[in-house]
Amino acid sequence: MDYQALAAYLFPHITTTPEEIEARYPARTLKEGAKVTRMAPSPTGFMHLGNLYGALVDERLAHQSDGVFYLRIEDTDQKREVPGGVQTILEVFKRFGLPFDEGATLEGDNGQYGPYRQRQRAAIYQTFAKELVARGLAYPDFTTEEELAEMHKLQEERKENFGYYGAYAVGRNLTFEEIQAKIEAGQPYVIRFRSPGDPAKKVYHTDLVKGKMELPENDQDVVLLKSDGIPTYHFAHVVDDHLMGTTHVVRGEEWLATLPIHLQLFDTMGWKRPKYIHTAQLMKMDGGSKRKLSKRKDPELALDYYFEAGVPVPAVLEYLMILLNSNFEEWRLANPMADRNSFPFNTKKMSSSGALFDIDKLHDVSRNVISRMSADEVYDYIVTWAKDFDPELFAALEADPAYAKAILSIGRGGKKPRKDIGTWKDVRGYIGFFYDDFFTPDYSKMPDKDPAQIRAILEDYAAQYDDTEDASAWFERIKAMCPKYGYTANMKEYKQDPTAFAGNVADLSTILRVAVTGRENSPELEVVMKLLGKDRVIKRLIEASKLV
Ligand code: GLU
């Protein structure tokens, strides 16, 4: 068979040569050891935590080594693509702040190694497929779906491996004339790779996370180009990661099974194999056993979920780092205020089995991350979130930003910051009492004391509250009230003989706290009172004295 002639016949429209294409993708000039990684999602409309988990590995590897991190849209599977899927990817990653150096963006392509959307690269793949045909390493195949199903049945009966290989690869034997006749008759066809592999032989691979492995060689004549001339994942992966200079491919472990195909293609093309990192699936505990996170059962798998749930992006990223590197938490304890990116990320610390996702742990991490933010930052986050998900809270905050920021400043900035907020959904419950509209006191939280006495204490304090006093004078005043009601300001004394007193200074504070904040626990009462302002404090004390 004259393969050159076949190539020219199959691809009359392809006039560029592989060399011309290679020339458009020169080797990158990066410093020694710089890694080039990419995020390569398919626009299925569903961006999940696993995507972000892998993207973080890509991002860290590239940026820790002064390399390049780029975004490629893998839109070759039109059956799985949903309308707006590309837009969704770009928007979600933008909101998660992934710092791509090049690739597809909402405004179009950015970078010298594009186009970064695979369907726009059809002619490139066809050029290389044409070359493989010309070398006798690829051929057209006209087998229909029905014939493939028949073949599958036969292989099942014969207890043989499934697929299109060896003697089953009928397209290998077609003559030029047969091919011509079928094409002239309008029969659709794919271009298949003529696999040189033998499954009795092994390929060796060292995965940066999974370690050393031996896999059987591929003997399947996989499809390179589908009948519409668009490549399969296998071919597009090899061509693109070669041309775009990817040094490290980070992808889900579901791709391990087809890795021998990819290695074989890299070798056949004479291209350097990239290094691979196959990441473990995200798992969760469910009724005592581990299972994969599922799109159907676990809303927290979708990246969109976190926007509504009010978990700030840095908290999600921090939590993923904890899942990714076993020593991250220890590092964080030693470096509480350090930028997450100064952590020395290392693939050796990645788990090769499933990472266990735990939403409660994520909320704890979020609580810590939020506690380290400034009041201004927290304010901006809350306002952005509340705008979409809690319009009443949004209106209250926007009406007086300085007041809101002063509230959010309480207990912030010190060595042991307060950790009241785990998600933005907690904000209303935490700061609500500062706003009359949200103030819903629960007087049942008053200490178990004689109501008449409680009323007397409230009226007494209302008559003397002085908002110009500092914290210690404020407390002295409360202590000074104690004897009048048979309370003691001396906790030690009280503990020695509780029956000797009607109550203690803590009870007295609680009475005031429940009246002013509506609950038993609150940030420092003296600070709270100052923020609320004298009038409002007195009004609440009197109101409570009437209702207790
Ligand atoms: N488009 C593939 C996917 O979404 C990407 C795999 C890869 O990163 O190579 O699974």
Side-chain angles (χ1 to χ4, degrees):
M1 158 102 71
D2 182 345
Y3 293 126
Q4 293 279 354
L6 179 62
Y9 176 70
L10 293 174
F11 297 95
H13 58 290
I14 295 295
T15 50
T16 42
T17 63
E19 292 70 31
E20 282 165 341
I21 292 187
E22 294 279 359
R24 296 203 321 244
Y25 294 86
R28 293 171 182 269
T29 45
L30 295 168
K31 74 172 206 202
E32 182 75 24
K35 299 180 173 76
V36 179
T37 61
R38 85 294 193 279
M39 170 79 204
S42 301
T44 57
F46 182 67
M47 282 296 101
H48 57 83
L49 215 52
N51 292 119
L52 192 61
Y53 180 81
L56 263 186
V57 179
D58 283 312
E59 192 277 330
R60 285 293 74 213
L61 290 183
H63 291 154
Q64 266 184 187
S65 64
D66 293 329
V68 175
F69 171 44
Y70 70 91
L71 175 64
R72 182 170 72 224
I73 301 291
E74 305 216 319
D75 54 359
T76 57
D77 190 349
Q78 267 172 301
K79 275 186 236 127
R80 286 176 64 218
E81 183 162 343
V82 300
V86 175
Q87 184 84 0
T88 307
I89 293 177
L90 297 173
E91 277 166 4
V92 168
F93 288 159
K94 192 167 182 172
R95 287 189 73 174
F96 272 92
L98 286 180
F100 293 110
D101 303 300
E102 63 183 59
T105 75
L106 283 165
E107 294 78 35
D109 275 2
N110 162 38
Q112 301 300 312
Y113 289 79
Y116 296 92
R117 297 165 207 242
Q118 289 182 326
R119 276 221 296 278
Q120 294 176 14
R121 305 173 57 77
I124 296 175
Y125 309 112
Q126 290 166 13
T127 303
F128 289 102
K130 181 177 182 181
E131 186 202 34
L132 284 174
V133 172
R135 288 168 60 196
L137 295 172
Y139 59 88
D141 169 40
F142 300 84
T143 315
T144 61
E145 290 293 327
E146 294 71 35
E147 286 165 340
L148 286 172
E150 281 291 309
M151 186 186 287
H152 194 96
K153 240 167 69 195
L154 195 65
Q155 289 164 338
E156 194 161 29
E157 279 164 24
R158 294 178 178 169
K159 297 198 171 24
E160 289 182 333
N161 287 342
F162 294 134
Y164 197 94
Y165 62 95
Y168 291 106
V170 288
R172 285 185 177 192
N173 309 320
L174 293 175
T175 63
F176 197 162
E177 291 68 34
E178 284 167 331
I179 291 169
Q180 253 175 330
K182 284 176 188 291
I183 290 179
E184 272 157 33
Q187 282 192 38
Y189 63 96
V190 298
I191 299 290
R192 284 187 187 268
F193 179 53
R194 192 186 297 271
S195 172
D198 171 359
K201 293 193 194 142
K202 302 273 179 241
V203 288
Y204 299 92
H205 165 66
T206 304
D207 193 276
L208 292 188
V209 166
K210 302 264 174 200
K212 280 204 166 91
M213 55 184 72
E214 277 183 24
L215 300 158
E217 268 186 17
N218 170 58
D219 67 341
Q220 299 278 337
D221 283 6
V222 291
V223 174
L224 301 177
L225 296 181
K226 295 178 273 191
S227 56
D228 56 0
I230 295 296
T232 53
Y233 168 78
H234 309 308
F235 196 45
H237 153 49
V238 172
V239 171
D240 287 352
D241 284 315
H242 163 68
L243 292 176
M244 298 180 181
T246 309
T247 62
H248 290 65
V249 169
V250 180
R251 61 184 184 185
E253 65 187 358
E254 66 276 15
W255 294 107
L256 259 182
T258 46
L259 177 66
I261 299 175
H262 310 140
L263 297 180
Q264 195 174 50
L265 285 171
F266 272 105
D267 295 351
T268 304
M269 302 302 286
W271 294 337
K272 186 169 185 243
R273 299 173 176 184
K275 292 199 167 37
Y276 286 91
I277 290 173
H278 288 93
T279 55
Q281 287 271 358
L282 292 177
M283 314 286 280
K284 79 183 266 184
M285 291 308 288
D286 187 358
S289 54
K290 264 195 210 177
R291 64 163 175 79
K292 282 181 199 164
L293 278 179
S294 118
K295 181 173 169 180
R296 199 167 43 82
K297 293 190 209 153
D298 309 308
E300 70 269 29
L301 183 59
L303 287 181
D304 286 348
Y305 167 86
Y306 297 92
F307 301 135
E308 195 200 328
V311 182
V313 164
V316 178
L317 298 179
E318 177 107 350
Y319 179 58
L320 289 180
M321 280 308 286
I322 291 175
L323 290 183
L324 278 168
N325 258 200
S326 51
N327 55 333
F328 182 84
E329 274 190 291
E330 202 184 310
W331 174 86
R332 175 53 84 202
L333 276 176
N335 304 279
M337 295 307 286
D339 183 328
R340 191 181 59 245
N341 287 344
S342 60
F343 168 73
F345 175 78
N346 190 337
T347 49
K348 292 204 177 73
K349 300 280 184 193
M350 281 172 71
S351 145
S352 59
S353 55
L356 199 57
F357 178 85
D358 174 356
I359 192 110
D360 295 331
K361 169 92 184 178
L362 168 64
H363 287 157
D364 277 351
V365 170
S366 182
R367 204 173 282 288
N368 285 320
V369 169
I370 293 173
S371 79
R372 295 193 291 265
M373 292 177 180
S374 70
D376 280 0
E377 245 181 300
V378 173
Y379 175 82
D380 289 344
Y381 268 114
I382 300 172
V383 165
T384 308
W385 174 83
K387 193 169 183 195
D388 290 334
F389 302 110
D390 190 345
E392 280 176 9
L393 180 66
F394 175 74
L397 296 174
E398 279 257 300
D400 190 349
Y403 180 58
K405 286 180 191 179
I407 296 168
L408 293 167
S409 299
I410 300 176
R412 218 165 261 288
K415 271 223 158 77
K416 283 208 161 160
R418 294 188 65 93
K419 297 183 180 176
D420 306 273
I421 308 172
T423 75
W424 307 131
K425 284 188 178 170
D426 297 338
V427 169
R428 205 193 242 252
Y430 172 54
I431 70 169
F433 69 83
F434 280 102
Y435 296 87
D436 290 338
D437 285 349
F438 304 143
F439 181 58
T440 44
D442 180 1
Y443 297 130
S444 73
K445 298 283 188 243
M446 284 289 180
D448 187 16
K449 304 287 173 200
D450 172 16
Q453 194 182 46
I454 293 180
R455 282 195 286 273
I457 290 173
L458 291 169
E459 283 166 14
D460 186 357
Y461 188 74
Q464 53 175 299
Y465 173 57
D466 178 354
D467 64 345
T468 64
E469 283 172 350
D470 67 10
S472 77
W474 175 89
F475 192 45
E476 286 309 317
R477 182 180 293 283
I478 290 175
K479 287 206 278 195
M481 282 171 69
C482 285
K484 192 166 157 189
Y485 300 96
Y487 285 33
T488 174
N490 184 334
M491 291 305 285
K492 215 164 136 198
E493 192 179 53
Y494 180 78
K495 274 191 194 124
Q496 271 161 9
D497 185 8
T499 56
F501 305 96
N504 60 45
V505 66
D507 296 322
L508 211 152
S509 302
T510 303
I511 291 171
L512 302 181
R513 189 184 302 277
V514 174
V516 172
T517 70
R519 47 195 222 198
E520 275 171 300
N521 299 305
S522 79
E524 293 147 82
L525 190 55
E526 180 262 333
V527 179
V528 168
M529 286 184 176
K530 280 219 175 87
L531 273 173
L532 280 169
K534 186 167 180 173
D535 292 349
R536 200 146 42 164
V537 169
I538 292 173
K539 199 170 140 233
R540 289 188 182 182
L541 291 164
I542 299 299
E543 184 75 12
S545 76
K546 288 188 197 137
L547 294 172
V548 169

